[in-house]
Amino acid sequence: MISPAPRPEILTIHPYIAGESELPGANRTVKLSSNEGAFGVPPSARAAIATAAEEAYRYPDGGADRLRAAIGKRWGLDPTRIVCGAGSDDLLYQFCLSYGGPGRDIIMSAHGFSIYYIAGIYAGSRVIKVPERNLTADLDAMLAAVSPATRLIFLANPNNPTGSMLPAEEVARFRAALPPEVLLVLDSAYAEYVTHPAYDAGTRLVDATGNTVMTRTFSKIYGLGGMRIGWCYAPPTVVDVLNRVRGPFNVSVAAQAAAIAALAEPGWVEKGCAHNAEYRPKLSAGVEAAGLKVWPSEGNFVLVDLGTIETANAADAFLRTSGIIVRKVGGYGLPHCLRVTVGTAEEVGLVVDAFAEFMRRSRG
Ligand SMILES: *Cc1c(COP(=O)(O)O)cnc(C)c1O
């Protein structure tokens, strides 16, 4: 029998590996593998999802008008320059399929978010991964990789899984040095967690240029990863393209309602951000005190460097026996590291203790 064949490059794509959520046999699982916010679903969003059940037989508002208005109000942005997606991943795919394609190169940093690679190859592009410096995107090297074929560049800021952040000034200089026909996508999935004064999520650069977009998500600090909702802020020409190609009903009734409610939840972002600012350093310090290197992070996660692949695998296995799931990042070219999400105060304590116990045992 002959099976129908996709384009050959499709079979070079490895399926995205999501953070696991269950450990068979464990009576309690601590899930620190997907950078989900530490506090679950905002109560008002939970109520909105329940109410949305009544409306689930109707198609959603294809333009997400109320949600775009709410986002625009929250961030002081023109709603006509916002497009919503089924997670920001949805929009990342649309960028690749619209601006990439055969003969059109995409550039990303070596340890950048894996969806850029998957979506880029899917679109038929060559995807160039540029080596980083100190686990931070090397903007000069990325510039040097630009050719007349380059059409799209992805930059996660802060980046997942490394946690590294680029100052707004450096990103602006990078944009200015890029050819105008290159679309720069600033993926600011973790923007709400950043406290560094040199940071800008990208709105200023989108406003100042006609060829830069910023993507955001409700999956992290807003606690709605399961609802699949993200958005981008883009120049009118890019908005026009996205509205031609995206699924006409790409954001569900429940997702739109949940996101609108989450935006109005009093103090939610402040609480998540303050918790992260307190417990990310505690997580890092605790793991460092156990004798391990932790990379600096501006996100709601840290990258723990175990030195070797064997030690990383052994630590992961030990954490699992303790009921703790973290994220292996071999697929990101970092097989000697583990990524750990900043959980609740209790979860941070548990994972720090588990790393300390692992190190005690491995010293014998
Ligand atoms: C989590 C994450 C996203 C968000 O994905 P959604 O599809 O919105 O859930 C995007 N980019 C990066 C770098 C991320 O870590």
Side-chain angles (χ1 to χ4, degrees):
M1 269 231 300
I2 294 177
S3 310
R7 299 193 321 271
E9 66 269 24
I10 301 299
L11 298 179
T12 70
I13 297 172
H14 296 284
Y16 179 85
I17 304 168
E20 289 171 76
S21 43
E22 288 199 56
L23 287 174
N27 38 16
R28 177 187 170 191
T29 303
V30 174
K31 182 179 191 293
L32 302 175
S33 57
S34 298
N35 298 346
E36 294 142 341
F39 298 113
V41 183
S44 54
R46 196 179 299 222
I49 292 165
T51 305
E54 303 292 323
E55 289 297 312
Y57 73 107
R58 294 208 189 274
Y59 278 95
D61 168 9
D65 290 354
R66 280 186 57 223
L67 175 56
R68 286 187 302 106
I71 292 168
K73 190 153 170 251
R74 165 70 182 73
W75 279 279
L77 303 174
D78 175 358
T80 67
R81 301 203 24 203
I82 292 168
V83 181
C84 296
S88 46
D89 286 357
D90 179 15
L91 301 167
L92 301 174
Y93 273 88
Q94 305 310 329
F95 293 132
C96 289
L97 292 165
S98 302
Y99 291 90
R104 293 167 157 249
D105 291 355
I106 296 174
I107 294 177
M108 63 183 284
S109 65
H111 309 296
F113 188 45
S114 61
I115 294 294
Y116 312 150
Y117 186 82
I118 294 174
I121 298 294
Y122 179 27
S125 281
R126 182 163 71 130
V127 181
I128 300 169
K129 289 187 179 181
V130 177
E132 301 188 5
R133 264 173 195 250
N134 258 330
L135 295 197
T136 304
D138 181 343
L139 297 181
D140 291 330
M142 289 175 88
L143 270 182
V146 172
S147 80
T150 307
R151 286 294 178 279
L152 195 49
I153 299 185
F154 286 106
L155 206 53
N157 195 23
N159 185 51
N160 168 21
T162 55
S164 60
M165 184 218 79
L166 296 163
E169 228 178 276
E170 283 181 38
V171 179
R173 245 184 289 139
F174 178 61
R175 169 70 269 182
L178 288 172
E181 68 272 18
V182 173
L183 182 67
L184 174 63
V185 178
L186 299 174
D187 178 346
S188 306
Y190 299 95
E192 290 84 359
Y193 289 109
V194 181
T195 52
H196 199 292
Y199 180 73
D200 181 70
T203 46
R204 278 191 267 153
L205 208 52
V206 175
D207 284 335
T209 67
N211 41 21
T212 308
V213 308
M214 170 187 73
T215 60
R216 304 287 287 265
T217 184
F218 282 89
S219 299
K220 305 286 158 53
I221 206 163
Y222 282 101
L224 293 173
M227 279 281 113
R228 311 307 303 128
I229 175 134
W231 57 280
C232 71
Y233 179 59
T237 52
V238 176
V239 168
D240 174 66
V241 167
L242 291 174
N243 283 332
R244 289 169 194 263
V245 299
R246 68 177 173 84
F249 305 108
N250 57 342
V251 184
S252 76
V253 168
Q256 292 189 35
I260 291 167
L263 283 171
E265 178 83 29
W268 185 261
V269 171
E270 291 77 3
K271 176 176 150 185
C273 185
H275 172 82
N276 199 58
E278 181 178 357
Y279 283 92
R280 186 184 59 216
K282 286 187 176 167
L283 171 59
S284 298
V287 176
E288 280 171 347
L292 292 165
K293 177 180 167 69
V294 180
W295 288 85
S297 171
E298 286 291 331
N300 67 332
F301 57 90
V302 297
L303 190 69
V304 180
D305 194 330
L306 293 115
T308 68
I309 302 173
E310 292 69 32
T311 312
N313 289 342
D316 180 63
F318 179 77
L319 292 173
R320 284 163 176 274
T321 63
S322 316
I324 301 171
I325 311 179
V326 298
R327 185 73 146 76
K328 284 184 156 186
V329 283
Y332 288 88
L334 300 165
H336 56 294
C337 296
L338 295 172
R339 192 193 69 196
V340 184
T341 304
V342 179
T344 62
E346 187 198 8
E347 289 167 341
V348 168
L350 289 171
V351 74
V352 165
D353 289 349
F355 271 112
E357 181 59 22
F358 169 74
M359 291 303 280
R360 262 194 297 278
R361 291 189 187 195
S362 50
R363 282 191 202 100

